[in-house]
Amino acid sequence: MAESVEKVVIIGSGPAGLTAAIYTARAALNPVVIAGAAAGGQLMTTTDVENFPGFPDGILGPELMQNMMEQAQKFGARLIYEDAVKVNLKQHPFLVETSAGNVFRCLALIVATGASPRRLGLESEAKFFGRGVSTCATCDGWFFREKVVGVVGGGDSAMEEALYLTHHASKVYVIHRRDQLRASKIMQQRAFSNPKIEFIWNSIVTEILGDEKVTGVRLKNVKTGEESVLPLDGLFLAIGHEPNTQLFKGQLMLDEQGYIVVDRFQRTSVPGVFAAGDCHDHTFRQAVTAAGFGCAAAIMAERWLGELEQKGYEAIKAEFVFKP
Ligand code: NAP
């Protein structure tokens, strides 16, 4: 078991965590990034990223993340491919323990743990998860060549998943609980003009049907109450995300939905702990805004470390007033 005291530890390796790593590394803070066993965050499961500035022809999500990792490492960030399983923010230096039993103590902590795909919460969904039910078309679309699939959701993710699935599947139903999409106009237009995509409006999935594999879903029209069965080979869920903040429950101030509460300087309710990206931001949730928040958190962490050196932790804590 390795144990060390670091100036900065960053938990998470999506755009927020890796941007924080680039900035803190370039500030000679020698950051440790607890990158997770599956490093790179949500963009690892997307295809083309067309709205990250600097790539006029778009860039593949995994390629963008690989570039960010290399850029962070080039400046000296150390990436640890383990999950953070425990934190203690009640003591300073803070403590972060990983899945491999490594313990890191740090003077400043940047939380960039992101968010995970939301599930419907049906019993049948748990039964078929990974066996016809998925939250990642890029990962699992290939299994549905010339098959019929459904996508639940009405946001950009649902449109993106549906459009991607048209490359493999013979037919894609988008099942949405309202009669209007939340997705951006450009994504709506692409989905509406794709002949393989059909929309089922005002409908929710109440059960996923099948024996060994998915054979269909039971739908309920929320306007009429009418129930029907739609035969399908697979179902993709694209209904938003839940913040990955369970680790911080009882230690950082969280809102009702579990997002970390921050002030406008990315400070959390614990002095010396900063948060960046989808773990606190439920408004923008873009790769570029996450990167921006990561940058801000890194700059604030650097300034805070200067203050720590001058005043000491107890004095900072005594005068800290959290104003979100
Ligand atoms: P989102 O915008 O929150 O959309 C979630 C969708 O799922 C909504 O249509 C919502 O319905 C539906 N939904 C939520 N819970 C549900 C439930 N229990 N049962 C059935 N439907 C449910 O999430 P997102 O699509 O993942 O997008 C998140 C953010 O990432 C957005 O800011 C989006 O713009 C961005 N994004 C951008 C791109 C792109 O630019 N290419 C791609 C992906 C994501 P209601 O509409 O009725 O609430």
Short mmCIF file of all heavy atoms in Angstrom, two decimals, residues 261-290:
data_model
loop_
_atom_site.label_atom_id
_atom_site.label_comp_id
_atom_site.label_asym_id
_atom_site.label_seq_id
_atom_site.Cartn_x
_atom_site.Cartn_y
_atom_site.Cartn_z
N VAL A 261 -22.71 21.56 -4.37
CA VAL A 261 -22.98 23.00 -4.37
C VAL A 261 -21.64 23.74 -4.36
O VAL A 261 -20.76 23.44 -3.54
CB VAL A 261 -23.83 23.39 -3.14
CG1 VAL A 261 -24.09 24.89 -3.11
CG2 VAL A 261 -25.16 22.62 -3.14
N VAL A 262 -21.48 24.67 -5.30
CA VAL A 262 -20.24 25.46 -5.36
C VAL A 262 -20.59 26.95 -5.39
O VAL A 262 -21.70 27.33 -5.74
CB VAL A 262 -19.40 25.15 -6.63
CG1 VAL A 262 -18.85 23.74 -6.61
CG2 VAL A 262 -20.18 25.40 -7.91
N ASP A 263 -19.59 27.76 -5.02
CA ASP A 263 -19.77 29.20 -5.20
C ASP A 263 -19.21 29.58 -6.57
O ASP A 263 -18.79 28.70 -7.33
CB ASP A 263 -19.15 30.00 -4.04
CG ASP A 263 -17.63 29.93 -4.04
OD1 ASP A 263 -17.02 29.40 -4.99
OD2 ASP A 263 -17.03 30.42 -3.06
N ARG A 264 -19.15 30.86 -6.89
CA ARG A 264 -18.76 31.21 -8.26
C ARG A 264 -17.26 31.04 -8.50
O ARG A 264 -16.77 31.28 -9.59
CB ARG A 264 -19.26 32.60 -8.64
CG ARG A 264 -18.62 33.74 -7.93
CD ARG A 264 -19.31 35.04 -8.33
NE ARG A 264 -18.46 36.18 -8.07
CZ ARG A 264 -17.58 36.65 -8.95
NH1 ARG A 264 -17.43 36.07 -10.12
NH2 ARG A 264 -16.84 37.69 -8.63
N PHE A 265 -16.52 30.63 -7.48
CA PHE A 265 -15.09 30.35 -7.65
C PHE A 265 -14.80 28.85 -7.58
O PHE A 265 -13.69 28.46 -7.29
CB PHE A 265 -14.27 31.10 -6.60
CG PHE A 265 -14.38 32.59 -6.74
CD1 PHE A 265 -15.08 33.34 -5.80
CD2 PHE A 265 -13.80 33.24 -7.82
CE1 PHE A 265 -15.20 34.71 -5.95
CE2 PHE A 265 -13.91 34.62 -7.97
CZ PHE A 265 -14.62 35.36 -7.03
N GLN A 266 -15.81 28.04 -7.80
CA GLN A 266 -15.70 26.58 -7.78
C GLN A 266 -15.39 26.03 -6.39
O GLN A 266 -14.99 24.89 -6.26
CB GLN A 266 -14.65 26.06 -8.79
CG GLN A 266 -14.84 26.52 -10.22
CD GLN A 266 -16.23 26.24 -10.77
OE1 GLN A 266 -16.92 27.15 -11.22
NE2 GLN A 266 -16.65 25.00 -10.72
N ARG A 267 -15.54 26.88 -5.35
CA ARG A 267 -15.28 26.40 -4.00
C ARG A 267 -16.48 25.61 -3.49
O ARG A 267 -17.62 25.98 -3.79
CB ARG A 267 -15.03 27.58 -3.05
CG ARG A 267 -13.74 28.28 -3.34
CD ARG A 267 -13.47 29.41 -2.38
NE ARG A 267 -14.42 30.49 -2.55
CZ ARG A 267 -14.16 31.76 -2.24
NH1 ARG A 267 -12.98 32.10 -1.75
NH2 ARG A 267 -15.08 32.70 -2.41
N THR A 268 -16.23 24.57 -2.75
CA THR A 268 -17.31 23.80 -2.13
C THR A 268 -17.47 24.26 -0.69
O THR A 268 -16.79 25.20 -0.25
CB THR A 268 -17.01 22.29 -2.15
OG1 THR A 268 -15.95 22.05 -1.21
CG2 THR A 268 -16.59 21.81 -3.54
N SER A 269 -18.29 23.53 0.06
CA SER A 269 -18.54 23.90 1.46
C SER A 269 -17.35 23.58 2.36
O SER A 269 -17.36 23.94 3.53
CB SER A 269 -19.80 23.19 1.96
OG SER A 269 -19.66 21.79 1.77
N VAL A 270 -16.35 22.90 1.85
CA VAL A 270 -15.14 22.61 2.64
C VAL A 270 -13.96 23.40 2.05
O VAL A 270 -13.65 23.22 0.86
CB VAL A 270 -14.82 21.09 2.64
CG1 VAL A 270 -13.48 20.80 3.31
CG2 VAL A 270 -15.93 20.32 3.32
N PRO A 271 -13.33 24.27 2.83
CA PRO A 271 -12.20 25.02 2.28
C PRO A 271 -11.09 24.11 1.80
O PRO A 271 -10.72 23.16 2.49
CB PRO A 271 -11.74 25.90 3.45
CG PRO A 271 -12.48 25.46 4.65
CD PRO A 271 -13.63 24.62 4.23
N GLY A 272 -10.61 24.37 0.59
CA GLY A 272 -9.56 23.53 0.02
C GLY A 272 -10.09 22.46 -0.90
O GLY A 272 -9.33 21.79 -1.58
N VAL A 273 -11.42 22.31 -0.94
CA VAL A 273 -12.03 21.34 -1.87
C VAL A 273 -12.81 22.12 -2.94
O VAL A 273 -13.67 22.94 -2.60
CB VAL A 273 -12.98 20.36 -1.14
CG1 VAL A 273 -13.60 19.38 -2.15
CG2 VAL A 273 -12.24 19.61 -0.05
N PHE A 274 -12.47 21.85 -4.19
CA PHE A 274 -13.09 22.55 -5.32
C PHE A 274 -13.82 21.50 -6.17
O PHE A 274 -13.45 20.32 -6.15
CB PHE A 274 -12.01 23.26 -6.14
CG PHE A 274 -11.20 24.23 -5.30
CD1 PHE A 274 -10.12 23.78 -4.53
CD2 PHE A 274 -11.55 25.57 -5.24
CE1 PHE A 274 -9.41 24.65 -3.72
CE2 PHE A 274 -10.83 26.46 -4.43
CZ PHE A 274 -9.75 25.98 -3.68
N ALA A 275 -14.81 21.94 -6.91
CA ALA A 275 -15.52 20.98 -7.77
C ALA A 275 -15.64 21.57 -9.17
O ALA A 275 -15.73 22.79 -9.34
CB ALA A 275 -16.90 20.67 -7.20
N ALA A 276 -15.64 20.69 -10.17
CA ALA A 276 -15.70 21.15 -11.56
C ALA A 276 -16.42 20.13 -12.43
O ALA A 276 -16.24 18.92 -12.27
CB ALA A 276 -14.27 21.34 -12.09
N GLY A 277 -17.25 20.63 -13.33
CA GLY A 277 -17.88 19.76 -14.34
C GLY A 277 -19.24 19.23 -13.94
O GLY A 277 -19.95 19.81 -13.10
N ASP A 278 -19.61 18.10 -14.53
CA ASP A 278 -20.98 17.58 -14.37
C ASP A 278 -21.33 17.16 -12.95
O ASP A 278 -22.50 16.92 -12.66
CB ASP A 278 -21.19 16.36 -15.30
CG ASP A 278 -21.31 16.78 -16.75
OD1 ASP A 278 -21.02 17.95 -17.07
OD2 ASP A 278 -21.68 15.93 -17.58
N CYS A 279 -20.35 17.05 -12.06
CA CYS A 279 -20.68 16.70 -10.66
C CYS A 279 -21.34 17.89 -9.95
O CYS A 279 -21.97 17.71 -8.92
CB CYS A 279 -19.44 16.21 -9.91
SG CYS A 279 -18.14 17.45 -9.74
N HIS A 280 -21.18 19.10 -10.51
CA HIS A 280 -21.87 20.25 -9.89
C HIS A 280 -22.76 21.00 -10.88
O HIS A 280 -23.68 21.69 -10.51
CB HIS A 280 -20.86 21.22 -9.28
CG HIS A 280 -20.20 22.13 -10.27
ND1 HIS A 280 -20.81 23.25 -10.79
CD2 HIS A 280 -18.99 22.07 -10.87
CE1 HIS A 280 -19.99 23.84 -11.65
NE2 HIS A 280 -18.89 23.13 -11.73
N ASP A 281 -22.48 20.83 -12.19
CA ASP A 281 -23.18 21.65 -13.19
C ASP A 281 -24.28 20.86 -13.87
O ASP A 281 -24.01 19.96 -14.65
CB ASP A 281 -22.15 22.13 -14.23
CG ASP A 281 -22.85 22.68 -15.46
OD1 ASP A 281 -23.88 23.37 -15.31
OD2 ASP A 281 -22.38 22.39 -16.59
N HIS A 282 -25.53 21.21 -13.57
CA HIS A 282 -26.63 20.55 -14.28
C HIS A 282 -27.26 21.49 -15.29
O HIS A 282 -28.31 21.20 -15.84
CB HIS A 282 -27.67 19.99 -13.31
CG HIS A 282 -28.03 20.94 -12.21
ND1 HIS A 282 -28.90 21.96 -12.39
CD2 HIS A 282 -27.57 21.01 -10.94
CE1 HIS A 282 -29.00 22.63 -11.25
NE2 HIS A 282 -28.20 22.09 -10.37
N THR A 283 -26.63 22.62 -15.53
CA THR A 283 -27.20 23.59 -16.45
C THR A 283 -26.61 23.44 -17.86
O THR A 283 -27.34 23.35 -18.84
CB THR A 283 -26.94 25.02 -15.95
OG1 THR A 283 -27.35 25.10 -14.59
CG2 THR A 283 -27.70 26.05 -16.77
N PHE A 284 -25.30 23.43 -17.96
CA PHE A 284 -24.67 23.44 -19.29
C PHE A 284 -24.25 22.04 -19.75
O PHE A 284 -24.50 21.65 -20.87
CB PHE A 284 -23.46 24.38 -19.28
CG PHE A 284 -23.80 25.77 -18.83
CD1 PHE A 284 -23.36 26.27 -17.62
CD2 PHE A 284 -24.62 26.57 -19.62
CE1 PHE A 284 -23.70 27.54 -17.20
CE2 PHE A 284 -24.97 27.85 -19.21
CZ PHE A 284 -24.50 28.33 -17.99
N ARG A 285 -23.54 21.34 -18.88
CA ARG A 285 -23.16 19.93 -19.12
C ARG A 285 -22.50 19.68 -20.47
O ARG A 285 -22.78 18.70 -21.14
CB ARG A 285 -24.40 19.03 -18.93
CG ARG A 285 -24.93 19.09 -17.53
CD ARG A 285 -26.13 18.23 -17.33
NE ARG A 285 -27.27 18.69 -18.10
CZ ARG A 285 -28.48 18.19 -18.02
NH1 ARG A 285 -28.70 17.17 -17.22
NH2 ARG A 285 -29.45 18.66 -18.74
N GLN A 286 -21.66 20.57 -20.87
CA GLN A 286 -20.93 20.42 -22.13
C GLN A 286 -19.47 20.12 -21.83
O GLN A 286 -18.94 20.52 -20.78
CB GLN A 286 -21.00 21.72 -22.95
CG GLN A 286 -22.40 22.20 -23.22
CD GLN A 286 -23.19 21.23 -24.06
OE1 GLN A 286 -22.79 20.85 -25.16
NE2 GLN A 286 -24.32 20.78 -23.54
N ALA A 287 -18.79 19.47 -22.78
CA ALA A 287 -17.37 19.20 -22.59
C ALA A 287 -16.61 20.50 -22.41
O ALA A 287 -15.72 20.62 -21.55
CB ALA A 287 -16.84 18.42 -23.79
N VAL A 288 -16.98 21.51 -23.20
CA VAL A 288 -16.23 22.76 -23.16
C VAL A 288 -16.50 23.53 -21.86
O VAL A 288 -15.57 24.15 -21.31
CB VAL A 288 -16.48 23.61 -24.43
CG1 VAL A 288 -17.91 24.13 -24.49
CG2 VAL A 288 -15.50 24.77 -24.51
N THR A 289 -17.71 23.48 -21.33
CA THR A 289 -17.96 24.16 -20.05
C THR A 289 -17.29 23.39 -18.92
O THR A 289 -16.72 23.99 -18.01
CB THR A 289 -19.47 24.35 -19.75
OG1 THR A 289 -20.15 23.11 -20.00
CG2 THR A 289 -20.07 25.45 -20.58
N ALA A 290 -17.31 22.06 -18.99
CA ALA A 290 -16.62 21.26 -17.98
C ALA A 290 -15.13 21.61 -17.96
O ALA A 290 -14.53 21.79 -16.90
CB ALA A 290 -16.82 19.77 -18.25
#
